[in-house]
Amino acid sequence: MSTAKGPHQLHVFFLPMMAPGHTIPMIDIARQFARNGAKATIISTPLNASHFSQTIERDGQDGLEISISLIEFPCQEAGLPEGCESLSSTTTLEMSLKFYRALDLLQQPVEKLLRENHPDAIVAGLFFWWADDVALKLNVPRLQFNGTGFFPMCIYNSLREHKPYENVESEYEEFVVPGLPDEVKLTRKKLPEETKDEDKSPFAETVRKILLSQSKSLGIIVNSFYELEPAYARHYRVVIGRKAWHVGPVSLFSKSNEEKTHRGLENSSGDDNCLSWLNSKKSNSVVYVCFGSMAIFSAAQLFEIAKGLESSGQEFIWVVREKTKDERSIDWLPDGFESRIQGRGLIINGWAPQVLILEHEAVGGFITHCGWNSVLEGVAAGVPMVTWPLSAEQFFNEKLVTEILKMGTPVGAQEWTKRTDDHGEPIKGDDIQKAVMKLMVGEEGERMRIRAGEFGDMAKRAVEKGGSSDDDLKSLMEEIRNYHHP
């Protein structure tokens, strides 16, 4: 591991958005900066830092210059309950709005910390729109990280510029997203509220501030690799005209099983049971089912998932969050389900070591909510997917997986919802069963598996020395260096 210092050692501060899907990849990026000779400091809050502090301590013992600077999260000032330091802890729209207010209140302590330390650059999550103003005062570049890929960013840009969703007669009528390298069709039902009904959305003001900050920053760091979405990497840089560096898949920076096990949640347990269970299964025989850290399902939807998995006849690992929409309905499993699936299915409550599971040779398919991290981790592991988007930009990511990469099949989700909303009519068990069978059995599934494997190989090459992502990371570090010492 090289930590050789050049003529000027860069000191870069990282401020991750307090949500697992944003924090985990930014920690990976900070560690990779340190592996390449920079000094990296991660700004975090006590509760969030507890999920990765042991990893950072180990890096320090291995000779990397990486550390954590703690600031208090303003729960009380924002009207949040004590300990609500992550977006994934919010359960209502009102709490989410207070959470974004809390992010704004972090400006002063972050600015104070940066003034005291004189960094060469700050990498801040997209929602810290004020980071550009702070960087400007300190005469350092601000880089953005928003945890998604080139394809969805290009779609967002086209929707904002052309507003094609205004020319349809119904919520379900398809329209083409104009000006993209491929024909991509969407419906109003699949769009985020803040995109299609800008003025009605409670997040409209925050979105406007974020868009304004994009024009001021040096550029954006993207958890992707060139070979995955080359036409969209070019489109973003050349047609839209923004600077961007692809440095991923960042999950591949974790090399050891220990790192992969504790990536995201160091105090997790029960992984041995899950991996020994997988060790007893045949190659490509298990479906992995996980909807990320943010999704909250109704008991009725969980019941349908159970029904679909059981009737598919396939072996599965299913990760279920601790919370459901209706917490009193804890008996959502079909009668006798657990005894009937014994040996064939494994249910994990809470957190699971996703990267380790996806990389296991027994796993042959992934039912995913299409969060960008999950998509990239599936791609890096070479695993085809059943796509089940829920919110954020997940319906855009589904299009990439199913229509551009052709390594997945949709379950049939039609409607974007806020994570705190009721998701309406559940996706039926029959539809879940059909999608699983299409992926796991027959020629079409095999074709998807072969394509997924090819993308997995490309992903691994991208982060190796001389690969496209490794080169882009080094080029970014040089750009930061030249900002101060041209």
Side-chain angles (χ1 to χ4, degrees):
M1 187 182 287
S2 170
T3 58
K5 296 176 186 178
H8 169 75
Q9 186 192 21
L10 292 179
H11 185 189
V12 181
F13 269 72
F14 294 83
L15 176 60
M17 160 73 169
M18 289 81 176
H22 292 256
T23 301
I24 294 168
M26 206 194 276
I27 301 303
D28 290 335
I29 293 166
R31 296 177 70 206
Q32 198 68 355
F33 263 74
R35 289 185 193 108
N36 279 279
K39 182 179 177 183
T41 303
I42 300 156
I43 304 172
S44 190
T45 66
L47 205 58
N48 286 294
S50 69
H51 298 317
F52 58 85
S53 56
Q54 291 168 33
T55 300
I56 302 306
E57 277 171 31
R58 271 196 304 273
D59 281 352
Q61 288 160 9
D62 289 342
L64 298 187
E65 289 200 55
I66 186 166
S67 61
I68 300 169
S69 279
L70 291 179
I71 53 174
E72 291 300 321
F73 194 82
C75 299
Q76 198 175 354
E77 296 91 317
L80 289 165
E82 204 59 44
C84 183
E85 297 185 14
S86 171
L87 188 59
S88 61
S89 302
T90 63
T91 53
T92 64
L93 175 60
E94 188 188 7
M95 279 180 83
S96 300
L97 290 167
K98 287 177 178 175
F99 185 84
Y100 288 114
R101 167 76 185 125
L103 298 184
D104 292 351
L105 295 173
L106 290 173
Q107 178 172 352
Q108 205 176 336
V110 167
E111 186 170 336
K112 181 174 181 287
L113 191 62
L114 294 172
R115 280 189 185 283
E116 289 166 0
N117 288 276
H118 313 290
D120 293 295
I122 175 165
V123 180
L126 197 71
F127 288 90
F128 299 108
W129 54 269
W130 43 262
D132 290 285
D133 299 330
V134 172
L136 197 62
K137 286 181 200 172
L138 302 175
N139 190 30
V140 296
R142 182 262 173 116
L143 287 137
Q144 290 189 329
F145 178 76
N146 74 341
T148 194
F150 287 107
F151 179 82
M153 289 196 297
C154 290
I155 290 183
Y156 266 130
N157 189 75
S158 174
L159 292 174
R160 278 194 299 270
E161 199 174 314
H162 301 287
K163 298 184 168 33
Y165 49 83
E166 290 181 349
N167 306 321
V168 291
E169 291 180 14
S170 82
E171 291 287 303
Y172 291 101
E173 184 187 336
E174 284 193 327
F175 59 83
V176 174
V177 181
L180 297 179
D182 299 283
E183 184 177 84
V184 176
K185 291 180 178 177
L186 287 166
T187 64
R188 283 179 63 87
K189 273 287 184 194
K190 294 180 177 180
L191 299 184
E193 181 186 64
E194 54 269 21
T195 300
K196 64 180 177 184
D197 295 314
E198 216 176 309
D199 298 331
K200 290 182 194 170
S201 169
F203 299 107
E205 185 55 31
T206 302
V207 171
R208 272 193 286 273
K209 287 175 179 173
I210 288 168
L211 291 174
L212 187 63
S213 77
Q214 277 185 330
S215 60
K216 298 183 203 167
S217 70
L218 179 63
I220 192 161
I221 300 176
V222 185
N223 177 18
S224 187
F225 58 104
Y226 183 77
E227 296 79 3
L228 183 73
E229 37 179 359
Y232 294 90
R234 285 194 300 270
H235 185 88
Y236 190 81
R237 288 162 165 154
V238 178
V239 180
I240 298 173
R242 291 197 190 127
K243 279 189 173 180
W245 295 266
H246 47 76
V247 300
V250 299
S251 60
L252 291 175
F253 297 159
S254 299
K255 301 294 184 194
S256 72
N257 278 5
E258 187 186 13
E259 279 187 297
K260 291 170 190 174
T261 299
H262 297 303
R263 181 175 174 262
L265 192 67
E266 289 184 329
N267 305 321
S268 54
S269 58
D271 347 294
D272 293 345
N273 175 36
C274 141
L275 294 172
S276 57
W277 187 87
L278 279 171
N279 288 340
S280 70
K281 304 299 174 188
K282 289 178 186 166
S283 178
N284 292 326
S285 66
V286 175
V287 182
Y288 172 60
V289 188
C290 183
F291 298 94
S293 57
M294 300 287 284
I296 308 172
F297 279 133
S298 66
Q301 184 60 83
L302 293 170
F303 178 87
E304 293 295 331
I305 296 171
K307 219 165 72 171
L309 290 173
E310 184 178 1
S311 59
S312 75
Q314 302 300 304
E315 297 184 301
F316 63 87
I317 287 184
W318 179 14
V319 181
V320 182
R321 265 180 65 100
E322 296 92 332
K323 290 174 184 158
T324 67
K325 288 271 189 236
D326 25 25
E327 296 212 27
R328 282 169 295 183
S329 308
I330 49 170
D331 297 330
W332 47 265
L333 285 173
D335 286 342
F337 176 78
E338 287 176 288
S339 58
R340 290 194 301 275
I341 59 124
Q342 199 155 14
R344 180 162 77 80
L346 183 67
I347 296 177
I348 298 175
N349 290 304
W351 187 264
Q354 179 158 296
V355 170
L356 269 184
I357 292 170
L358 285 169
E359 285 180 353
H360 199 286
E361 63 176 4
V363 174
F366 179 17
I367 302 182
T368 173
H369 67 308
C370 297
W372 187 256
N373 291 322
S374 289
V375 167
L376 256 280
E377 287 160 16
V379 166
V383 176
M385 304 172 216
V386 169
T387 56
W388 188 332
L390 303 166
S391 59
E393 87 295 11
Q394 293 157 15
F395 280 94
F396 308 166
N397 300 341
E398 174 181 57
K399 291 282 178 182
L400 177 71
V401 172
T402 59
E403 296 178 14
I404 310 295
L405 304 178
K406 295 182 171 59
M407 55 173 284
T409 186
V411 79
Q414 298 296 331
E415 187 173 354
W416 188 96
T417 53
K418 284 201 253 337
R419 63 183 284 270
T420 51
D421 282 353
D422 192 345
H423 287 262
E425 194 63 27
I427 302 279
K428 296 297 180 195
D430 286 352
D431 294 323
I432 298 163
Q433 179 207 0
K434 282 174 195 159
V436 169
M437 296 299 284
K438 188 174 178 181
L439 194 72
M440 299 300 285
V441 180
E443 284 181 22
E444 196 174 350
E446 194 49 41
R447 279 198 297 274
M448 286 188 257
R449 194 160 289 103
I450 289 165
R451 280 187 67 79
E454 288 167 354
F455 282 113
D457 290 341
M458 288 183 224
K460 290 173 186 70
R461 285 197 294 273
V463 296
E464 285 169 4
K465 192 171 180 180
S468 57
S469 290
D470 180 60
D471 281 352
D472 240 23
L473 177 69
K474 285 170 179 158
S475 144
L476 167 59
M477 292 178 74
E478 199 53 38
E479 180 112 8
I480 296 169
R481 193 172 278 113
N482 289 339
Y483 187 92
H484 299 283
H485 310 277

